[in-house]
Amino acid sequence: MSNIKLPIYLDYSATTPIDKRVADKMAQFLTIEDNFGNPASRSHEFGWAAEKAVDEARQHVADLINADPREIVWTSGATESDNLAIKGAAHFYRKKGNHIITLKTEHKAVLDTCRQLEREGFELTYLDPEENGLLDLDKLKAAITEQTILISIMHVNNEIGVIQDIEAIGEIARERRIIFHVDAAQSTGKVDIDLEKLKVDLMSFCAHKTYGPKGVGALYVRRKPRVRLEAQMHGGGHERGMRSGTLATHQIVGMGEAFRIAREEMATENERIRMLRDHLYDGLNDMEEVYVNGDLEHRIAGNLNISFNFVEGESLIMALRDLAVSSGSACTSASLEPSYVLRALGRNDELAHSSIRFTIGRFTTLEEIDYTIELVRAAVEKLRDLSPLWDMYKDGIDLNSVEWVAH
Amino acid sequence: MAYSEKVLDHYENPRNVGVIEDDTSVGTGMVGAPACGDVMKLQIKVGDDGIIQDAKFKTYGCGSAIASSSLVTEWVKGKSLDEAADIKNTHIAEELALPPVKIHCSVLAEDAIAAAIDNYRQKNQ
């Protein structure tokens, strides 16, 4: 305990710290002493050196996902990549059809982009996942029409960590000549991605969930068969016209280095992280009325999203001030709506309000997990002693049979 | 979000947590709904002189909801029913320095007092 630094960071799906090796590399691309040139400068050594660094980073990103470096377009992050992919493809292929299919548990960067396209006249289908968070492929097939031009399904869900079967979805899309976009912001370094094999046409990435810097991402745009996009950012024609704007060399180099490290270390790292996650799960699972949200099998190693029934999430987070975790409860927002992801799984409001997401990463230690288990158990016990719902449960009252005075 | 000292104090050391055994001198109010993320149960025990002798609460909800209910158990003790009914959510919000997004917690506490008084009066018509 004595050597644990508080608070303990268990929110790696929100963001990760930059790996020191990455930061060191980035620092070589800033000042007059360094390689600060504009990669688009063709007339001198400064530009050439920067371009070389960007090319190397592009190769590292391509290597992690087994793609061609010419298929990588730099962006400012996964949100921009999602926007470029979805709007860009929808606008380019709108003569072919106007129907787009996505999933209710997608990140807001996808859902809000789809909402915008609806306002522009596109037809959208938002599929419900199964209770375990996974997409039923038959439901996807049934939703496809003659008009469908684009399917956008995420790889790894940010809240519950479940992994969608993008290999099978890709087969379905390709067979019907529908463009398939995947938001892979949460999956690099956690799940193998082989774009030689996967029939994915567009894939969004960011650096900061994989120990790289915030503010940089990439979009994979398939060359064979070629996928076309309408640019969303116009200007100097950078990135083969798909995304104009001076390349942020230091950010890009950071992303490249982060992905290079991920490729080298992900196998051993995920094994260690899975061990820690399972240890956390075992330490909490023997308590009464504890529910894991999302499938445990098809799930990244570092995610544990768990509901402590009859305990409200925000008060639990307050009791866990020594932990940096996130909750599916949204008592702070005006709407009082709990997590839309958990609601989409069919979780009732109580369980959605009672959820905590622990995400474990590169710098998490076993001591930290042991301490976390102790803290969480004590906090849940304390809050259940305070909870009228817990008393009712213990008295055998079915909470669904109670007529609540909603406010 | 930052909590005020007073919210933290009530949250860390909630006053009057528990259950009063039910009889005709006891009024119980339960307000809120699990779906909204908060449920408050407030009980008052009223003496023959019409003064609230004891109060207990149990709350499922955020820290501000717990603090609001803990605070009102302190405030209602020693008061007549009419005096207790005069406790308004604005008093609670002010005392605990609740931010705008947490005002509903104080409203719920006010509702809980009203519900407990109602319940007592119904039993003792």
Coordinates of all heavy atoms in Angstrom, one line a residue, chain B residues 6-75:
Chain B
K6 N -19.7 20.8 3.0 CA -20.8 20.4 3.8 C -21.4 19.1 3.1 O -21.8 18.2 3.9 CB -21.9 21.4 3.9 CG -21.5 22.4 4.9 CD -22.6 23.5 5.1 CE -22.2 24.4 6.2 NZ -22.8 25.8 6.1
V7 N -21.4 19.0 1.8 CA -21.9 17.8 1.1 C -21.0 16.7 1.5 O -21.4 15.6 1.9 CB -22.0 18.0 -0.4 CG1 -22.2 16.6 -1.1 CG2 -23.1 18.9 -0.8
L8 N -19.7 17.0 1.4 CA -18.7 15.9 1.7 C -18.9 15.4 3.2 O -18.8 14.2 3.4 CB -17.3 16.4 1.5 CG -16.9 16.5 0.0 CD1 -15.5 17.2 -0.1 CD2 -16.9 15.1 -0.6
D9 N -19.1 16.4 4.1 CA -19.2 16.0 5.5 C -20.4 15.1 5.7 O -20.3 14.1 6.4 CB -19.3 17.3 6.3 CG -19.5 16.9 7.8 OD1 -18.8 16.0 8.3 OD2 -20.3 17.6 8.5
H10 N -21.6 15.5 5.1 CA -22.8 14.7 5.3 C -22.6 13.3 4.6 O -23.1 12.3 5.1 CB -24.0 15.4 4.7 CG -24.6 16.3 5.7 ND1 -25.4 16.0 6.8 CD2 -24.5 17.7 5.8 CE1 -25.8 17.0 7.4 NE2 -25.2 18.1 6.9
Y11 N -21.9 13.3 3.5 CA -21.7 12.1 2.7 C -20.8 11.1 3.5 O -21.1 9.9 3.6 CB -21.1 12.4 1.3 CG -20.8 11.1 0.6 CD1 -21.8 10.4 0.0 CD2 -19.5 10.7 0.5 CE1 -21.5 9.2 -0.7 CE2 -19.2 9.5 -0.1 CZ -20.2 8.8 -0.8 OH -19.9 7.6 -1.4
E12 N -19.7 11.7 4.0 CA -18.8 10.9 4.8 C -19.3 10.4 6.1 O -19.1 9.3 6.5 CB -17.5 11.7 5.1 CG -16.7 12.1 3.9 CD -15.9 10.9 3.2 OE1 -15.8 9.9 3.9 OE2 -15.5 11.1 2.1
N13 N -20.1 11.3 6.8 CA -20.6 11.0 8.1 C -22.1 11.2 8.1 O -22.6 12.2 8.7 CB -20.0 11.8 9.2 CG -18.5 11.8 9.1 OD1 -17.8 10.8 9.3 ND2 -17.9 13.0 8.7
P14 N -22.9 10.4 7.4 CA -24.3 10.7 7.3 C -25.0 10.6 8.7 O -24.6 9.7 9.4 CB -24.8 9.6 6.3 CG -23.8 8.6 6.3 CD -22.5 9.2 6.6
R15 N -25.8 11.6 9.0 CA -26.5 11.6 10.3 C -27.8 10.8 10.2 O -28.5 10.8 9.1 CB -26.9 13.0 10.7 CG -26.1 14.2 10.6 CD -24.6 14.2 10.6 NE -24.1 15.5 10.5 CZ -23.1 15.9 9.7 NH1 -22.5 15.0 9.0 NH2 -22.7 17.1 9.7
N16 N -28.2 10.1 11.2 CA -29.5 9.5 11.4 C -29.9 8.5 10.2 O -31.0 8.5 9.7 CB -30.6 10.6 11.4 CG -30.3 11.6 12.5 OD1 -30.0 11.3 13.6 ND2 -30.3 12.9 12.2
V17 N -28.9 7.7 9.9 CA -29.2 6.6 9.0 C -29.9 5.5 9.7 O -29.5 5.2 10.8 CB -27.9 6.1 8.4 CG1 -28.2 4.9 7.4 CG2 -27.1 7.1 7.6
G18 N -30.9 5.0 9.1 CA -31.6 3.8 9.7 C -33.1 3.8 9.4 O -33.6 4.5 8.6
V19 N -33.7 2.9 10.2 CA -35.1 2.7 10.0 C -35.8 2.8 11.4 O -35.2 2.3 12.4 CB -35.3 1.2 9.5 CG1 -36.8 0.9 9.3 CG2 -34.6 1.1 8.1
I20 N -36.9 3.4 11.5 CA -37.7 3.5 12.7 C -38.8 2.5 12.6 O -39.5 2.4 11.6 CB -38.3 4.9 12.9 CG1 -37.2 6.0 12.9 CG2 -39.1 4.9 14.2 CD1 -37.8 7.4 13.0
E21 N -38.9 1.7 13.6 CA -40.0 0.6 13.6 C -41.4 1.3 13.5 O -41.7 2.3 14.2 CB -39.9 -0.3 14.8 CG -40.6 -1.6 14.6 CD -40.3 -2.6 15.7 OE1 -39.2 -2.6 16.2 OE2 -41.2 -3.4 16.0
D22 N -42.1 0.8 12.6 CA -43.4 1.4 12.2 C -44.5 1.3 13.3 O -44.7 0.2 13.8 CB -43.9 0.8 10.9 CG -44.8 1.8 10.2 OD1 -44.8 3.0 10.5 OD2 -45.7 1.3 9.4
D23 N -45.1 2.4 13.7 CA -46.3 2.4 14.4 C -47.1 3.7 14.1 O -46.7 4.4 13.2 CB -46.1 2.1 15.9 CG -45.4 3.3 16.6 OD1 -45.7 4.5 16.3 OD2 -44.5 3.0 17.4
T24 N -48.2 4.0 14.8 CA -49.0 5.1 14.4 C -48.3 6.4 14.7 O -48.6 7.4 14.1 CB -50.3 5.1 15.2 OG1 -50.0 5.0 16.6 CG2 -51.2 4.0 14.7
S25 N -47.2 6.4 15.5 CA -46.5 7.7 15.7 C -45.5 8.0 14.7 O -44.7 8.9 14.8 CB -45.9 7.6 17.1 OG -44.8 6.7 17.1
V26 N -45.4 7.1 13.7 CA -44.3 7.2 12.7 C -44.9 7.5 11.3 O -45.8 6.9 10.9 CB -43.5 5.9 12.6 CG1 -42.4 5.9 11.5 CG2 -42.8 5.6 14.0
G27 N -44.3 8.5 10.7 CA -44.7 8.8 9.3 C -43.5 8.5 8.4 O -42.4 8.8 8.7
T28 N -43.8 7.8 7.3 CA -42.8 7.3 6.4 C -43.0 7.9 5.0 O -44.2 7.8 4.5 CB -42.7 5.8 6.3 OG1 -42.5 5.3 7.6 CG2 -41.6 5.3 5.3
G29 N -42.0 8.5 4.4 CA -42.2 9.0 3.0 C -41.1 8.5 2.2 O -39.9 8.4 2.6
M30 N -41.5 8.0 1.0 CA -40.5 7.5 0.1 C -40.7 8.2 -1.3 O -41.8 8.1 -1.8 CB -40.5 6.0 -0.1 CG -39.3 5.5 -1.0 SD -38.7 3.9 -0.5 CE -40.0 2.9 -1.1
V31 N -39.8 8.9 -1.8 CA -39.9 9.6 -3.0 C -38.8 9.3 -4.0 O -37.7 8.8 -3.6 CB -40.0 11.2 -2.7 CG1 -41.2 11.5 -2.0 CG2 -38.7 11.6 -2.0
G32 N -39.0 9.7 -5.2 CA -38.0 9.4 -6.3 C -38.2 8.1 -6.9 O -39.2 7.4 -6.6
A33 N -37.4 7.7 -7.8 CA -37.5 6.4 -8.5 C -36.1 5.9 -8.9 O -35.3 6.7 -9.3 CB -38.4 6.6 -9.8
P34 N -35.9 4.6 -8.9 CA -34.6 4.1 -9.3 C -34.2 4.5 -10.7 O -33.1 4.7 -10.9 CB -34.8 2.6 -9.2 CG -36.0 2.4 -8.3 CD -36.9 3.6 -8.4
A35 N -35.2 4.6 -11.5 CA -34.9 4.9 -12.9 C -34.3 6.3 -13.1 O -33.6 6.6 -14.0 CB -36.2 4.8 -13.8
C36 N -34.7 7.2 -12.1 CA -34.1 8.6 -12.1 C -32.8 8.6 -11.4 O -32.2 9.7 -11.4 CB -35.1 9.5 -11.5 SG -36.7 9.5 -12.2
G37 N -32.4 7.5 -10.8 CA -31.1 7.5 -10.1 C -31.2 8.0 -8.7 O -30.1 8.1 -8.0
D38 N -32.4 8.3 -8.1 CA -32.4 8.6 -6.7 C -33.8 8.2 -6.1 O -34.8 8.4 -6.6 CB -32.0 10.0 -6.3 CG -32.4 11.0 -7.3 OD1 -33.4 10.8 -7.9 OD2 -31.7 12.0 -7.4
V39 N -33.7 7.6 -4.9 CA -34.8 7.3 -4.1 C -34.5 7.6 -2.6 O -33.4 7.3 -2.1 CB -35.1 5.7 -4.1 CG1 -36.2 5.4 -3.2 CG2 -35.4 5.3 -5.5
M40 N -35.4 8.4 -2.0 CA -35.2 8.8 -0.6 C -36.3 8.3 0.2 O -37.5 8.4 -0.1 CB -35.3 10.4 -0.5 CG -34.0 11.1 -0.5 SD -34.3 12.9 -0.4 CE -32.9 13.4 -1.3
K41 N -35.9 7.7 1.4 CA -36.9 7.3 2.3 C -36.6 8.0 3.6 O -35.5 8.0 4.2 CB -36.7 5.8 2.6 CG -37.7 5.2 3.5 CD -37.5 3.7 3.6 CE -38.3 3.1 4.8 NZ -37.9 1.8 5.1
L42 N -37.6 8.8 4.1 CA -37.5 9.6 5.3 C -38.6 9.1 6.3 O -39.8 9.0 5.9 CB -37.7 11.1 5.0 CG -37.6 12.0 6.1 CD1 -36.2 12.1 6.7 CD2 -38.0 13.4 5.7
Q43 N -38.2 8.9 7.5 CA -39.1 8.6 8.5 C -39.1 9.6 9.7 O -38.0 10.0 10.1 CB -38.8 7.2 9.1 CG -39.1 6.1 8.1 CD -38.9 4.7 8.8 OE1 -37.8 4.4 9.2 NE2 -40.0 3.9 8.9
I44 N -40.2 9.9 10.2 CA -40.3 10.8 11.4 C -41.1 10.2 12.5 O -42.1 9.5 12.2 CB -40.9 12.2 11.0 CG1 -42.3 12.0 10.3 CG2 -40.0 13.0 10.2 CD1 -43.0 13.3 10.1
K45 N -40.6 10.3 13.7 CA -41.4 9.8 14.9 C -41.9 11.1 15.6 O -41.1 11.9 16.0 CB -40.5 9.0 15.8 CG -41.3 8.3 16.9 CD -40.4 7.3 17.6 CE -41.1 6.7 18.8 NZ -42.2 5.8 18.4
V46 N -43.2 11.1 15.8 CA -43.9 12.3 16.3 C -44.4 12.0 17.7 O -45.0 11.0 18.0 CB -45.0 12.8 15.4 CG1 -45.6 14.1 15.9 CG2 -44.6 12.9 14.0
G47 N -44.1 12.9 18.7 CA -44.5 12.8 20.1 C -45.9 13.2 20.3 O -46.6 13.7 19.3
D48 N -46.4 12.9 21.5 CA -47.8 13.3 21.8 C -48.0 14.8 21.6 O -49.2 15.3 21.4 CB -48.2 12.8 23.2 CG -48.2 11.3 23.3 OD1 -48.3 10.7 22.2 OD2 -48.0 10.8 24.4
D49 N -47.0 15.6 21.9 CA -47.1 17.0 21.8 C -47.0 17.5 20.3 O -47.0 18.7 20.1 CB -45.9 17.7 22.6 CG -44.6 17.1 22.2 OD1 -44.5 16.2 21.3 OD2 -43.6 17.6 22.8
G50 N -46.9 16.6 19.4 CA -46.9 17.0 18.0 C -45.5 17.4 17.5 O -45.4 18.0 16.4
I51 N -44.5 17.2 18.3 CA -43.1 17.6 17.9 C -42.4 16.4 17.4 O -42.6 15.3 17.9 CB -42.4 18.2 19.2 CG1 -43.1 19.4 19.7 CG2 -40.9 18.5 18.8 CD1 -43.2 20.6 18.8
I52 N -41.6 16.6 16.4 CA -40.9 15.4 15.8 C -39.7 15.1 16.7 O -38.8 15.9 17.0 CB -40.3 15.8 14.4 CG1 -41.5 16.1 13.4 CG2 -39.5 14.7 13.8 CD1 -41.2 16.6 12.1
Q53 N -39.7 13.9 17.3 CA -38.7 13.5 18.2 C -37.5 12.8 17.6 O -36.4 12.9 18.1 CB -39.3 12.5 19.2 CG -40.4 13.1 20.0 CD -41.1 12.0 20.9 OE1 -41.1 10.8 20.5 NE2 -41.6 12.4 22.0
D54 N -37.8 12.1 16.5 CA -36.7 11.4 15.8 C -36.9 11.4 14.3 O -38.1 11.5 13.9 CB -36.6 10.0 16.4 CG -35.3 9.3 16.1 OD1 -34.3 10.0 15.6 OD2 -35.2 8.1 16.3
A55 N -35.8 11.3 13.6 CA -35.9 11.2 12.1 C -34.8 10.2 11.7 O -33.7 10.3 12.2 CB -35.8 12.5 11.5
K56 N -35.2 9.4 10.7 CA -34.1 8.5 10.1 C -34.3 8.6 8.6 O -35.4 8.8 8.0 CB -34.3 7.1 10.6 CG -34.1 6.9 12.1 CD -32.7 6.5 12.4 CE -32.6 6.2 13.9 NZ -31.3 6.7 14.4
F57 N -33.2 8.3 7.9 CA -33.3 8.2 6.4 C -32.5 7.1 5.8 O -31.6 6.5 6.5 CB -32.8 9.5 5.8 CG -31.4 9.6 5.6 CD1 -30.8 9.3 4.3 CD2 -30.5 10.0 6.6 CE1 -29.4 9.3 4.1 CE2 -29.1 10.0 6.4 CZ -28.6 9.7 5.1
K58 N -32.9 6.7 4.6 CA -32.1 5.8 3.8 C -32.2 6.4 2.4 O -33.3 6.8 1.9 CB -32.6 4.4 3.8 CG -32.3 3.7 5.1 CD -31.5 2.4 4.9 CE -31.1 1.8 6.2 NZ -30.5 0.5 6.1
T59 N -31.1 6.6 1.7 CA -31.1 7.2 0.3 C -30.3 6.4 -0.6 O -29.1 6.0 -0.3 CB -30.7 8.6 0.4 OG1 -31.7 9.4 1.1 CG2 -30.5 9.2 -1.0
Y60 N -30.9 6.1 -1.8 CA -30.1 5.6 -3.0 C -30.0 6.8 -3.9 O -31.0 7.4 -4.3 CB -31.0 4.5 -3.6 CG -30.6 4.2 -5.1 CD1 -29.6 3.3 -5.3 CD2 -31.2 4.8 -6.1 CE1 -29.2 2.9 -6.6 CE2 -30.9 4.4 -7.4 CZ -29.9 3.5 -7.7 OH -29.5 3.2 -9.0
G61 N -28.8 7.3 -4.1 CA -28.6 8.4 -5.0 C -27.2 9.0 -4.9 O -26.4 8.4 -4.2
C62 N -27.0 10.1 -5.6 CA -25.7 10.7 -5.6 C -25.3 11.3 -4.3 O -26.2 11.3 -3.3 CB -25.6 11.7 -6.7 SG -26.6 13.1 -6.4
G63 N -24.1 11.8 -4.1 CA -23.7 12.4 -2.9 C -24.5 13.5 -2.4 O -24.8 13.6 -1.2
S64 N -25.0 14.3 -3.3 CA -25.9 15.5 -3.0 C -27.2 15.0 -2.5 O -27.8 15.6 -1.6 CB -26.0 16.4 -4.2 OG -24.8 16.8 -4.6
A65 N -27.7 13.9 -3.0 CA -29.0 13.4 -2.5 C -28.8 12.8 -1.1 O -29.7 13.0 -0.2 CB -29.5 12.3 -3.5
I66 N -27.7 12.1 -0.9 CA -27.5 11.6 0.5 C -27.3 12.7 1.5 O -27.9 12.7 2.5 CB -26.2 10.7 0.4 CG1 -26.5 9.4 -0.4 CG2 -25.7 10.3 1.8 CD1 -25.3 8.5 -0.7
A67 N -26.5 13.8 1.1 CA -26.3 14.9 2.0 C -27.6 15.6 2.3 O -27.9 16.0 3.4 CB -25.3 15.8 1.4
S68 N -28.5 15.8 1.2 CA -29.7 16.5 1.4 C -30.6 15.8 2.4 O -31.2 16.4 3.3 CB -30.5 16.7 0.1 OG -29.8 17.4 -0.8
S69 N -30.7 14.5 2.3 CA -31.6 13.7 3.2 C -31.0 13.7 4.6 O -31.7 13.8 5.6 CB -31.9 12.3 2.7 OG -30.8 11.8 1.9
S70 N -29.7 13.6 4.7 CA -29.0 13.6 6.0 C -29.3 14.9 6.7 O -29.6 15.0 7.9 CB -27.5 13.4 5.8 OG -26.8 13.6 7.0
L71 N -29.2 16.0 6.0 CA -29.4 17.3 6.5 C -30.8 17.5 7.0 O -31.0 18.0 8.2 CB -29.1 18.4 5.5 CG -29.3 19.9 5.9 CD1 -28.3 20.3 6.9 CD2 -29.3 20.8 4.7
V72 N -31.8 17.1 6.3 CA -33.2 17.3 6.7 C -33.5 16.5 7.9 O -34.4 16.9 8.7 CB -34.2 17.1 5.6 CG1 -34.0 18.1 4.5 CG2 -34.3 15.7 5.1
T73 N -32.9 15.3 8.1 CA -33.2 14.6 9.3 C -32.7 15.4 10.6 O -33.4 15.4 11.6 CB -32.5 13.2 9.4 OG1 -31.1 13.4 9.3 CG2 -33.0 12.3 8.3
E74 N -31.6 16.1 10.4 CA -31.2 17.0 11.5 C -32.2 18.1 11.7 O -32.5 18.5 12.8 CB -29.8 17.6 11.2 CG -28.7 16.6 11.4 CD -27.3 17.3 11.4 OE1 -27.1 18.2 10.5 OE2 -26.5 17.0 12.2
W75 N -32.6 18.7 10.6 CA -33.4 19.9 10.7 C -34.8 19.7 11.2 O -35.4 20.5 11.9 CB -33.5 20.6 9.3 CG -32.3 21.5 9.0 CD1 -31.3 21.7 9.8 CD2 -32.1 22.2 7.8 NE1 -30.4 22.5 9.2 CE2 -30.9 22.9 8.0 CE3 -32.9 22.4 6.6 CZ2 -30.4 23.8 7.0 CZ3 -32.4 23.3 5.7 CH2 -31.1 23.9 5.8

